[in-house]
Amino acid sequence: ERAAKRPMPGLVAALLLNMGWSAAVSALGDITCQRMEQNYKPVKMKEEEEDGPLAVAQAQPFVVDWGRLKRYTLSPGIDGGIQSFLFYNTVVPSLFPHGPTTLMTLLKMLVVDLLIFNPYAMAETIIANSLLAKKDWNYILSKLKTDLPGYTLAQLPLWGPIMAVVYTSVPIAYQVVVIKAWGYLDKILASFYVNKVPTLHARQSSPGTTVKPDPFGDMILTTEKLEANRDVDAPDAHVDKDET
């Protein structure tokens, strides 16, 4: 046995602790991602357009999208804590009861983790966040087609070395805690993929228009907030532009 069976009160306490830790890491990751998005978008817009009002948008203070933060704290925060607890404490020990005894076994563990569990968890997060944001299923399917494969490939260089070390060096009782600590970086990456508008949906929403490829994607709500702030803080500039 790789891990001794814990009594039920201990399991419940460990589960609750993991849920809280996962929610905190997810919230911190999303706030970091929001700040990065807001810092990037005004600079990009300023390069594309040189109108005066964009200088006002660039000077805007960081504003948290609380609706997005709440959704991301619920999923992958709380529900992700449950999933990871069950996966690393029941599924992995059941499939690999003796641990990574050989290199081939370690590679199998990484495949199950990175190419099966992580994409499943990300798909659930995309669906949950989209439904909570009242998006339709066309939008959700577009994200699953474009952003799920993108995230799956992007997380491999991050999680591959980390999980190899975790599986070979960290006792199973502490694996989830260690994974969640490193997961802060993953939560930033996942928040980006969860909250950006999928390319297919953007094209379908604007028939007859040309969509420029953007490696950073179009951020949900972030650009809208910048536009709203620009309209409120610089109404005269818009009026002058319209009049001319």
Side-chain angles (χ1 to χ4, degrees):
E1 294 289 337
R2 293 181 60 205
K5 293 183 178 180
R6 283 182 281 186
M8 185 58 66
L11 287 175
V12 173
L15 175 60
L16 293 177
L17 177 62
N18 190 62
M19 291 168 60
W21 179 244
S22 178
V25 172
S26 296
L28 183 59
D30 183 59
I31 290 176
T32 304
C33 185
Q34 289 192 42
R35 178 177 286 276
M36 294 170 65
E37 291 173 5
Q38 292 188 30
N39 287 342
Y40 163 73
K41 274 297 182 179
V43 174
K44 180 191 171 193
M45 292 194 314
K46 189 174 183 181
E47 292 174 353
E48 294 177 348
E49 301 178 42
E50 296 181 355
D51 295 336
L54 291 178
V56 177
Q58 188 178 17
Q60 291 298 321
F62 172 60
V63 178
V64 177
D65 182 348
W66 293 105
R68 165 176 163 171
L69 178 60
K70 291 176 183 177
R71 292 191 297 270
Y72 200 73
T73 302
L74 289 173
S75 178
I78 295 177
D79 69 344
I82 299 173
Q83 292 173 10
S84 61
F85 182 85
L86 295 175
F87 179 75
Y88 292 108
N89 285 280
T90 60
V91 176
V92 173
S94 299
L95 293 176
F96 308 98
H98 302 293
T101 53
T102 65
L103 178 60
M104 183 58 64
T105 303
L106 176 61
L107 292 177
K108 291 179 180 179
M109 295 175 73
L110 293 176
V111 167
V112 172
D113 193 312
L114 304 180
L115 297 180
I116 298 178
F117 174 69
N118 279 3
Y120 156 76
M122 183 60 171
E124 188 275 336
T125 298
I126 288 174
I127 294 173
N129 276 262
S130 299
L131 291 176
L132 290 171
K134 299 181 180 179
K135 302 296 182 181
D136 58 35
W137 278 101
N138 288 332
Y139 175 93
I140 295 173
L141 292 177
S142 295
K143 285 195 68 64
L144 293 176
K145 290 178 181 178
T146 58
D147 296 329
L148 181 58
Y151 167 80
T152 301
L153 292 177
Q155 54 98 26
L156 292 177
L158 170 67
W159 280 118
I162 292 175
M163 291 310 303
V165 173
V166 168
Y167 281 137
T168 56
S169 304
V170 180
I172 189 172
Y174 303 102
Q175 285 183 357
V176 176
V177 176
V178 174
I179 291 169
K180 289 302 177 183
W182 281 103
Y184 167 67
L185 298 176
D186 176 71
K187 290 299 181 284
I188 299 174
L189 177 68
S191 178
F192 165 76
Y193 278 100
V194 167
N195 291 286
K196 79 184 189 74
V197 176
T199 304
L200 293 177
H201 183 79
R203 289 173 178 170
Q204 293 171 358
S205 301
S206 304
T209 61
T210 301
V211 180
K212 296 181 180 179
D214 181 3
F216 291 93
D218 294 318
M219 315 304 178
I220 294 177
L221 298 178
T222 300
T223 303
E224 296 175 3
K225 285 186 293 186
L226 289 172
E227 293 289 343
N229 290 337
R230 187 172 65 180
D231 292 340
V232 172
D233 295 335
D236 295 338
H238 283 276
V239 171
D240 292 344
K241 187 175 180 179
D242 294 337
E243 289 178 352
T244 57

